[in-house]
Amino acid sequence: MNKMNRYLVSSVLSGMLLLSGPQAMAKGEPMYDFLPSDTVIDNVKNNLQSHGVDVSNLQVDADAQGVVQLRGEVASKQEVESITQIAKQSEGVYAVLGALRYETGEVVPAPVPEGIDPMMDAPAAGNEATQQQIDAQ
């Protein structure tokens, strides 16, 4: 009979646990408490500033579910990654989307000799044979 009592008690406890979940949801209790978007924005900016990031060139937006959008110009790829990680660690942030830009360096085109039109005088791609080689054949 002792074994039967254990099964009965465990069945009752399991049933109570299963029923408590739907009751909590029926009461309208959220599974995750979202912070207001203004609060999330302030948290992200304060967290970035506390890590020495200049937020004057950054635009921080957030929606009602804690998704943060970062926009602006930064110095390097490492700074993009650092700012994104700091923002993710801020209170109320669920996800971070970034549109941060950085310059990789100025691309300087090669100089074109005088009298040559680079579009018209360039050899066709894949055509290594010159006119002299064709005439020699």
Side-chain angles (χ1 to χ4, degrees), residues 17-99:
L17 288 173
L18 287 173
L19 292 175
S20 66
Q23 287 176 349
M25 292 177 76
K27 292 179 185 177
E29 295 177 12
M31 293 180 67
Y32 182 81
D33 291 325
F34 294 109
L35 296 176
S37 60
D38 293 343
T39 303
V40 173
I41 292 169
D42 289 341
N43 289 344
V44 170
K45 286 182 177 181
N46 290 336
N47 199 12
L48 288 170
Q49 287 175 337
S50 70
H51 284 84
V53 177
D54 180 17
V55 295
S56 62
N57 294 329
L58 299 178
Q59 181 180 353
V60 180
D61 293 314
D63 65 11
Q65 285 77 34
V67 177
V68 173
Q69 175 81 33
L70 299 173
R71 290 187 204 100
E73 292 187 24
V74 295
S76 66
K77 182 178 180 180
Q78 291 79 17
E79 193 170 353
V80 169
E81 292 169 0
S82 173
I83 289 171
T84 303
Q85 286 301 320
I86 294 168
K88 284 181 183 178
Q89 296 168 358
S90 302
E91 184 181 1
V93 175
Y94 178 73
V96 176
L97 305 174

Side-chain angles (χ1 to χ4, degrees), residues 105-111:
E106 185 178 345
V107 177
V108 179

Side-chain angles (χ1 to χ4, degrees), residues 102-130:
Y102 60 94
E103 288 191 29
T104 57
E106 185 178 345
V107 177
V108 179
V112 178
E114 277 189 47
I116 294 182
D117 182 358
M119 298 304 290
M120 299 302 292
D121 294 336
N127 185 7
E128 284 91 26
T130 63

